[in-house]
Amino acid sequence: MTRVQVLASAQELARAASWYIQHRLLEAARSRGRVLLALSGGSTPLPVYERLAKLALPWDRLHLFWGDERCVPPDDERSNFGNAHRTLLSHVPIPEANLHRIQGELEPKEAAQSYENDLRKFFGSEPPSMDLVLLGMGADGHTASLFPGGPELEESRSWAVNSEPPAGTEPALPRVTLTLPAINAARAVLFLVAGLDKRPAVSRILKVIGSGRETPAGRIMPKGELAWFLDREAAPGQG
Ligand code: 6PG
């Protein structure tokens, strides 16, 4: 099932998203005891992380993963882990052992293999069924670090691979990303998308779900719920 919610502003988007996430995580804790969440990179989720840090969540039972990482050390300002640490992790009691960080400081291939090993150790042979995967989207329709026309899009066995952003993508850094099989094994996926520049890609994907398959974001079809939270600027058909 696909759910689309249009919020009046990026601020309202952050508020609605943090409630949605809280609801999903509490439900997972109630029904399965542990909670598996994959965080998104980019700037749009950061105000959401700041709000989550102020909420009552089952932090001790939460395992955190990442949808992707830029290949830089965690103290680099472009690090997705670093930004999550600054806005969320440093403010809440999550056990260090529950942080499944992508080691951006390693060589891209090595970092991807190390993350793959961590995922296989945690999930065994079953596809990694996260309770919730958070994703953003670029104006070109890329999501996590799955880029239009990239070989990583066709990966069918691995759960984590390295990828190269096309020219013009910021930051112009090698990446490590979850693959489509890993993301689509999730119980729920939440897209957080804000800004006018994203509207054309959103229109293509949402107009006829499934036909936006030329874009990486259009190939996100989780086994559970797919939710798109958009600000008015990113939403098709809004003034
Ligand atoms: C990354 C992200 C990437 C991001 C989009 C949107 O590491 O860059 O995972 O997929 O979500 O580029 O980025 P913004 O939210 O900053 O617009």
Side-chain angles (χ1 to χ4, degrees):
M1 189 197 76
T2 300
R3 161 183 175 174
V4 179
Q5 205 162 325
V6 179
L7 292 310
S9 64
Q11 205 189 3
E12 279 305 306
L13 173 67
R15 186 200 310 272
S18 54
W19 283 347
Y20 177 91
I21 296 165
Q22 181 183 36
H23 166 72
R24 279 265 154 199
L25 301 190
L26 290 174
E27 185 264 330
R30 261 194 313 277
S31 37
R32 287 175 290 280
R34 68 181 188 180
V35 184
L36 313 178
L37 171 65
L39 296 181
S40 171
S43 57
T44 308
L46 300 181
V48 178
Y49 299 161
E50 284 165 350
R51 283 176 179 276
L52 289 177
K54 300 188 178 77
L55 296 178
L57 287 169
W59 300 114
D60 60 330
R61 282 180 280 153
L62 182 60
H63 283 263
L64 277 184
F65 299 84
W66 273 259
D68 71 325
E69 184 58 281
R70 295 92 175 259
C71 292
V72 288
D75 58 357
D76 186 296
E77 64 181 15
R78 298 162 297 176
S79 162
N80 288 337
F81 174 84
N83 286 322
H85 190 269
R86 181 173 51 75
T87 54
L88 174 62
L89 309 181
S90 55
H91 308 286
V92 293
I94 296 181
E96 189 76 25
N98 291 13
L99 300 180
H100 304 269
R101 179 176 77 84
I102 299 174
Q103 297 168 281
E105 66 274 21
L106 301 177
E107 283 305 305
K109 268 199 179 349
E110 198 190 339
Q113 189 56 56
S114 157
Y115 193 40
E116 175 90 15
N117 297 347
D118 187 8
L119 291 167
R120 299 263 170 194
K121 199 162 119 234
F122 190 87
F123 290 99
S125 58
E126 283 307 304
S129 54
M130 305 283 181
D131 293 301
L132 181 60
V133 174
L134 304 182
L135 292 174
M137 187 192 72
D140 62 354
H142 80 256
T143 190
S145 283
L146 300 166
F147 297 103
E152 67 277 1
L153 272 178
E154 305 317 323
E155 180 58 49
S156 58
R157 280 187 304 212
S158 300
W159 297 340
V161 294
N162 62 300
S163 67
E164 284 293 334
T169 306
E170 283 304 325
L173 291 165
R175 312 291 183 89
V176 170
T177 185
L178 287 180
T179 58
L180 286 174
I183 296 172
N184 284 336
R187 296 173 193 277
V189 170
L190 172 62
F191 273 101
L192 303 169
V193 182
L196 199 53
D197 61 329
K198 312 273 176 77
R199 186 183 285 188
V202 173
S203 306
R204 279 204 307 282
I205 294 166
L206 293 186
K207 274 237 168 49
V208 193
I209 287 275
S211 78
R213 295 183 67 76
E214 77 282 358
T215 61
R219 296 179 65 177
I220 301 296
M221 302 249 169
K223 71 175 185 190
E225 180 172 86
L226 174 60
W228 287 77
F229 281 27
L230 311 167
D231 76 349
R232 202 183 290 282
E233 293 211 318
Q238 303 289 318

